[in-house]
Amino acid sequence: MSTTTTTTSAQTETSETAETNAQQLTRLRRQRDALVAVLGAILALGALLAVRLAPSWANPVDTGLTTGALYAAVVLPYLRRRR
């Protein structure tokens, strides 16, 4: 009987560890997604500011939106594939 209790206790600890690991993995994935989104926003704003400071041959808002759209087009399939 002592062996059965030990086995059950070990199984409970293993399932709790697995749940904890799954929660940590989910949290890390959300953090990665947030980081990728923030980097995309920084890239788009950087492009907008670079064009704003450059000679007026381009529309800064159009450049910022285009850069953000291109970034999203590249990154979103990557994020979906990684899940």
Side-chain angles (χ1 to χ4, degrees), residues 52-68:
R52 177 74 176 133
L53 296 174
S56 62
W57 50 265
N59 182 0
V61 175
D62 186 40
T63 303
L65 291 174
T66 302
T67 303

Side-chain angles (χ1 to χ4, degrees), residues 5-19:
T5 304
T6 304
T7 304
T8 304
S9 175
Q11 289 174 348
T12 302
E13 290 176 12
T14 303
S15 69
E16 289 175 1
T17 304
E19 288 177 21

Side-chain angles (χ1 to χ4, degrees), residues 6 10 17-18 21 24 29 35 39 41 45 56 65 70 76 83:
T6 304
T17 304
N21 289 342
Q24 289 178 351
R29 284 181 179 157
L35 176 65
L39 290 175
L45 288 174
S56 62
L65 291 174
L70 288 173
L76 286 177
R83 289 191 182 259

